[in-house]
Amino acid sequence: MYHRVTLGGRGWWADSAGSRRRPAVGDRVVLGVGVTVLGPVHVGDDASLGAHCLVLHDVPAGARPRAPAAAPVPPPAEAGPAIGPVPFL
């Protein structure tokens, strides 16, 4: 388990009364940086969750889910006016 990993419930309003609220993590599981596992899900043995994954459903044993890659954002079509100091009113 790397740093900034969150394991927790999804909230009292989303859980049925008397049921398990938190995740169950199997043996030899790698939880990458910033992984969030929420709700009564099960992460199977030998799974490897990549950095910044959000897990809301069961992960089978040996699976290797990854977070979506960032998409490039095109530059603005034209530059707007330069922003200068705001006058004090």
Side-chain angles (χ1 to χ4, degrees):
M1 181 182 307
Y2 287 89
H3 64 283
R4 301 195 85 147
V5 170
T6 301
L7 302 172
R10 293 179 68 184
W12 58 268
W13 59 90
D15 302 328
S16 57
S19 67
R20 184 171 55 93
R21 295 184 59 206
R22 291 174 184 81
V25 180
D27 295 329
R28 299 171 305 278
V29 172
V30 176
L31 300 172
V33 174
V35 168
T36 301
V37 185
L38 299 176
V41 301
H42 182 264
V43 179
D45 296 340
D46 300 310
S48 176
L49 282 64
H52 305 290
C53 281
L54 172 61
V55 179
L56 301 175
H57 303 286
D58 289 345
V59 176
R64 300 182 64 177
R66 300 290 181 250
V73 177
E78 58 183 62
I83 298 175
V86 176
F88 184 72
L89 300 175

